[in-house]
Amino acid sequence: MAGAQGTTTRRSRITPEREAELYGAVLDLLREVGYDALTMDGVAARARSSKATLYRQWGSKAELVVKALRHQKPVRIDEIDTGSLRGDFRTLVSLNDDCRMERDGALMRGLAMAMHDNPDLHRAFHELLIEPEMTGLDRVVRRAVDRGEVSADNPALGYIVHMMIGAFVGRNMIDNQPVSQAFLTSYVDAVILPALGV
Amino acid sequence: MAGAQGTTTRRSRITPEREAELYGAVLDLLREVGYDALTMDGVAARARSSKATLYRQWGSKAELVVKALRHQKPVRIDEIDTGSLRGDFRTLVSLNDDCRMERDGALMRGLAMAMHDNPDLHRAFHELLIEPEMTGLDRVVRRAVDRGEVSADNPALGYIVHMMIGAFVGRNMIDNQPVSQAFLTSYVDAVILPALGV
């Protein structure tokens, strides 16, 4: 209760529309100049806001950037519940179209570089983006275990995120191609589901 | 024949011992200052050689660095042939001890950063290190197909390197731990072999 109240108070100064507009400005700037050259002054100018407002709402550049990334996620993973693990992965793969995955892939690779030298960004990225996604994916997979689709002691249960990272990083590094829905669908069917015994 | 002759001529000015010593100096410097700050002058000073010699033998900093990395690989992957795919992967995992994997992991992450801004390094890395390793791994897996261990139309055959990259990148990104022989063995047994139907 106290936590929810705290969040509401902090967020209450800004409308959801204004928040979305600010996040849009952050992502545009991030694509144009990269994380290191992005400044709170630059965001304030682009979004016709003030640096004081940005710091009051978000506390740091790292938090603002990661929340902007999180805001564009269309669906919470743990809300995906089609009744089968294959169906859930199909839905997960279909959330972002190929253009968007190609665009976001470039953004994510740039951020991965920046994280190397920015512990604040690394921490915010893990806490606000990676961990919630992992928790969501874990719920999806738990439901498959509860349905009896996956054995509770299948050792690949601990490596689902590793397998997925391999798809994204390997597609770029080895195949030198952007990740697409067709590629991810094929990878899920060839690697992830068989490893889980589905 | 001409190709082999060309290689011999180019290499003949330097003994294998001297070559190993030079590569050692390159890797030491690389760990100390990183790729961007490493210079041919620095290598020449460290190895008591001349910049002219280095350029004559290796042509570029990117080639020198990647050949130094390749030189420390103890075994060619395609020479691994234990008679079973599981045994071949066990041997592959046992080639580098945990200390060395941790040390080389840091080096490789630094190089991955540098590759982002250095197309020469990216090209040399792919041609001289990634492609030969992929060809070697492909031979190992082909033998498993020929033995009937893996079905020739198993769709995971196209994703073995992706799965392996997921182990290395995911171990660092998600688990925040260095890759170890125990982790890789568990991952091979839980993910790679089941996906291949072994």
Side-chain angles (χ1 to χ4, degrees):
Chain A
M1 269 306 235
Q5 175 112 41
T7 308
T8 310
T9 310
R10 193 175 171 202
R11 291 272 160 239
S12 64
R13 293 191 193 99
I14 210 168
T15 64
E17 293 73 23
R18 182 65 181 136
E19 197 177 354
E21 199 179 355
L22 271 158
Y23 287 149
V26 170
L27 294 178
D28 285 347
L29 266 176
L30 200 57
R31 289 196 187 90
E32 290 167 26
V33 303
Y35 183 81
D36 288 330
L38 182 139
T39 62
M40 291 300 237
D41 277 322
V43 174
R46 176 71 61 107
R48 283 158 291 112
S49 180
S50 77
K51 201 159 79 164
T53 304
L54 297 181
Y55 275 112
R56 195 168 53 236
Q57 288 289 133
W58 286 282
S60 73
K61 170 175 139 180
E63 187 181 331
L64 173 59
V65 164
V66 174
K67 288 201 168 155
L69 288 168
R70 190 175 69 178
H71 185 261
Q72 65 168 358
K73 298 263 167 191
V75 174
R76 279 182 42 186
I77 291 179
D78 61 358
E79 287 166 359
I80 300 174
D81 190 5
T82 64
S84 79
L85 190 58
R86 190 178 300 270
D88 289 353
F89 271 116
R90 286 272 183 286
T91 303
L92 192 57
V93 165
S94 71
L95 290 180
N96 298 299
D97 66 33
D98 289 353
C99 282
R100 182 160 164 173
M101 279 196 282
E102 187 166 354
R103 203 186 56 184
D104 288 358
L107 198 64
M108 286 299 176
R109 285 192 293 284
L111 277 180
M113 302 287 136
M115 262 182 264
H116 206 65
D117 304 314
N118 291 281
D120 281 357
L121 177 62
H122 192 267
R123 199 175 314 114
F125 196 82
H126 265 260
E127 282 178 17
L128 300 172
L129 216 61
I130 303 277
E131 283 167 25
E133 298 252 303
M134 284 181 65
T135 305
L137 188 62
D138 197 52
R139 293 218 178 101
V140 166
V141 174
R142 280 296 132 206
R143 281 196 286 268
V145 171
D146 292 344
R147 283 190 303 264
E149 273 191 275
V150 178
S151 165
D153 60 0
N154 186 305
L157 283 171
Y159 299 128
I160 297 176
V161 180
H162 301 73
M163 291 188 261
M164 291 176 70
I165 289 173
F168 283 87
V169 178
R171 188 61 168 170
N172 283 287
M173 257 181 70
I174 301 303
D175 308 325
N176 216 9
Q177 286 190 52
V179 171
S180 67
Q181 293 189 341
F183 167 75
L184 286 180
T185 302
S186 160
Y187 186 85
V188 165
D189 288 347
V191 171
I192 300 183
L193 294 175
L196 290 169
V198 174
Chain B
M1 266 310 233
Q5 176 112 42
T7 306
T8 310
T9 310
R10 194 175 171 202
R11 292 271 160 239
S12 63
R13 293 190 192 102
I14 209 168
T15 65
E17 292 72 23
R18 182 65 182 136
E19 196 177 356
E21 199 181 355
L22 271 158
Y23 287 147
V26 171
L27 294 178
D28 284 346
L29 265 177
L30 200 57
R31 288 194 187 92
E32 289 166 28
V33 303
Y35 183 81
D36 288 328
L38 182 142
T39 62
M40 292 300 237
D41 277 322
V43 175
R46 175 72 62 107
R48 282 159 290 114
S49 179
S50 78
K51 202 159 79 163
T53 303
L54 297 181
Y55 275 112
R56 194 170 54 238
Q57 288 289 132
W58 286 282
S60 73
K61 169 175 140 181
E63 187 181 333
L64 173 58
V65 164
V66 174
K67 288 200 169 156
L69 288 168
R70 191 176 68 178
H71 185 260
Q72 65 168 358
K73 298 263 168 194
V75 175
R76 277 181 43 185
I77 291 180
D78 61 357
E79 287 167 359
I80 299 173
D81 189 5
T82 64
S84 78
L85 190 58
R86 190 178 300 270
D88 288 353
F89 270 116
R90 286 272 183 284
T91 303
L92 192 56
V93 164
S94 71
L95 290 181
N96 297 298
D97 65 32
D98 290 352
C99 280
R100 180 159 166 176
M101 278 196 282
E102 186 167 354
R103 203 187 56 184
D104 287 357
L107 198 66
M108 286 300 177
R109 284 192 294 285
L111 277 179
M113 301 286 136
M115 263 183 261
H116 206 64
D117 304 314
N118 291 282
D120 280 358
L121 177 61
H122 191 268
R123 199 175 314 111
F125 196 83
H126 265 259
E127 282 178 17
L128 300 172
L129 215 59
I130 303 276
E131 283 166 26
E133 298 253 303
M134 284 180 64
T135 304
L137 188 61
D138 198 52
R139 291 216 180 102
V140 166
V141 174
R142 281 295 132 209
R143 282 196 287 266
V145 171
D146 292 344
R147 283 191 302 264
E149 272 192 275
V150 178
S151 164
D153 60 0
N154 185 305
L157 283 170
Y159 299 129
I160 297 175
V161 181
H162 301 74
M163 291 188 261
M164 291 177 69
I165 289 174
F168 283 87
V169 178
R171 188 61 170 170
N172 282 287
M173 257 183 70
I174 301 304
D175 308 325
N176 216 9
Q177 286 189 56
V179 171
S180 67
Q181 293 188 342
F183 167 75
L184 286 179
T185 302
S186 160
Y187 186 86
V188 165
D189 288 347
V191 170
I192 299 181
L193 294 174
L196 290 170
V198 175

